Amino acid sequence: MSVQQATARAGANIALVKYWGKRDQQLNLPAAGSISITLAGLETRTTVTPDPSLDADCFVLDDAEQPAGRVGAVLDLLREMAGEATSCRVESVNNFPTGAGLASSASGFAALVTAASQALGLELSEAKRSELARRGSGSAARSIFGGFVEMDAGQRDDGSDAVAHPLLVAEDWPLEVVVAVTDCGSKAVGSRDGMNHTMRTSPYYPAWVETVAGDLDLARRAIEARNFEVLAEVSEHSALKMHASMLAARPGLVYWNPATLACIHAVRDLRAAGTGVFFTVDAGPQVKAVCLPGEGERVAQALGKQKGVAKVMVTGLGPGALVVTGP
Ligand code: DP6
């Protein structure tokens, strides 16, 4: 099988019904499903170059060399499938702050699997790429697809049914997303450590997991019916409930800063005054405001005025992971 350099891009995604907790650490299987939207404007571009002269994989993120870690582990899975042993150089660039709760691992592993499968001459289905991206990061399974995406928890022990599938393409309901960056630094506790700590120590974790299925049903039906009000209610509920489970961990995980809270209140005030907008917050201090088409600029202006907001970005929903060059 011939190997050749390949580049892919993948958009970050934002969960509306959150993934927080695992049923298996080894295969990185989620304890429950999740629903997300893939973004157009926040993306990772990754080039994979198989290079027989390398002793080991080399991973460069935004011009800084990093330990290959999970990147190497995902490459191992792909190499095994391709019957290849070649080490690879992986160069990744994010057009947004890395590791600050903007889901860089989601777009990162989706772009990696898409570029590396092409580089290693593998023709994989989207479901298979989703499964492999999940091994790098659970949320990455969703970034293989564009628009509205559902991740299944699956039931099989081998994880082959813990994959994502699309619900609607971006054009079917072109919502807008405002990202309010309230802190440009890296987060103190990464998602993986945060969710494992919550699983181990939070008395609210079982209640969280038990209630996700109901939220998924509601969100799925709201998306199908393009019912923004219902989607707003269930999405804010899922985000706040996830944070409640973290707050109840020991010690409690507090990802928010004062500007996070100011943005949450600003979004609720806007909605009360008739603007189609709701918030969600991941394992970091940034606030993502999801808006009806045409409302993004107005929401961005309001969030940009909140004390402590360093930057606002407006984007839309985008496509799934794609090879941009290659053999
Ligand atoms: C809060 O996908 O980063 O963003 O599977 O351990 O790599 P690992 O976790 P990760 O967790 C994402 C958590 C979240 C919610 C979500 O995206 O659903």
Side-chain angles (χ1 to χ4, degrees):
M1 186 67 77
S2 71
V3 295
Q4 213 172 328
Q5 184 180 82
T7 301
R9 61 145 309 276
N13 74 71
I14 291 175
L16 304 183
V17 176
K18 304 293 185 190
Y19 149 54
W20 195 249
K22 304 177 197 286
R23 68 180 167 94
D24 182 277
Q25 298 284 339
Q26 189 59 32
L27 294 173
N28 201 30
L29 301 175
S34 53
I35 288 181
S36 61
I37 44 179
T38 301
L39 304 183
L42 277 67
E43 67 168 40
T44 302
R45 234 161 229 262
T46 297
T47 299
V48 174
T49 314
D51 182 349
S53 73
L54 291 173
D55 292 337
D57 294 324
C58 164
F59 174 43
V60 179
L61 176 60
D62 290 334
D63 286 331
E65 189 162 347
Q66 310 279 339
R70 276 147 76 182
V71 168
V74 169
L75 285 174
D76 284 342
L77 298 170
L78 286 152
R79 274 188 291 249
E80 200 185 320
M81 292 173 75
E84 270 294 337
T86 326
S87 293
C88 296
R89 181 174 172 81
V90 178
E91 287 160 292
S92 244
V93 179
N94 290 328
N95 70 349
F96 57 93
T98 300
L102 288 178
S104 58
S105 66
S107 50
F109 282 107
L112 173 72
V113 167
T114 303
S117 54
Q118 176 86 358
L120 295 170
L122 289 165
E123 278 184 29
L124 303 182
S125 66
E126 287 173 316
K128 192 70 199 174
R129 279 192 284 131
S130 177
E131 185 186 341
L132 289 160
R134 187 205 72 228
R135 297 287 294 269
S137 210
S139 52
R142 301 184 308 236
S143 272
I144 294 295
F145 300 97
F148 293 78
V149 182
E150 178 163 8
M151 173 76 190
D152 294 322
Q155 290 183 338
R156 294 186 204 137
D157 288 343
D158 68 357
S160 55
D161 56 351
V163 297
H165 62 272
L167 295 174
L168 288 183
V169 296
E171 295 74 24
D172 283 346
W173 198 15
L175 300 181
E176 295 174 9
V177 177
V178 178
V179 179
V181 178
T182 64
D183 184 347
C184 297
S186 278
K187 58 192 163 187
V189 181
S191 303
R192 182 159 299 187
D193 289 346
M195 74 174 77
N196 286 335
H197 177 66
T198 305
M199 282 168 68
R200 277 195 308 270
T201 68
S202 174
Y204 294 176
Y205 178 73
W208 155 257
V209 173
E210 275 164 31
T211 54
V212 175
D215 296 342
L216 289 170
D217 281 345
L218 201 54
R220 201 184 305 111
R221 278 189 272 125
I223 290 165
E224 217 167 277
R226 321 286 197 271
N227 187 329
F228 191 81
E229 287 72 27
V230 172
L231 189 61
E233 192 280 329
V234 70
S235 300
E236 290 191 355
H237 172 66
S238 177
L240 292 174
K241 190 165 52 177
M242 176 185 74
H243 282 275
S245 77
M246 305 175 188
L247 288 166
R250 288 189 156 172
L253 283 172
V254 187
Y255 282 106
W256 300 359
N257 62 33
T260 312
L261 208 46
C263 288
I264 286 174
H265 285 299
V267 165
R268 286 210 158 157
D269 290 348
L270 284 165
R271 191 157 80 251
T275 303
V277 61
F278 64 85
F279 67 80
T280 188
V281 185
D282 290 305
Q286 329 302 2
V287 175
K288 291 94 175 201
V290 182
C291 318
L292 278 173
E295 306 271 39
E297 279 307 326
R298 187 142 52 102
V299 170
Q301 277 195 10
L303 296 187
K305 283 188 205 138
Q306 303 303 312
K307 191 166 178 241
V309 170
K311 185 176 163 189
V312 287
M313 298 180 266
V314 185
T315 186
L317 307 195
L322 290 168
V323 170
V324 288
T325 60

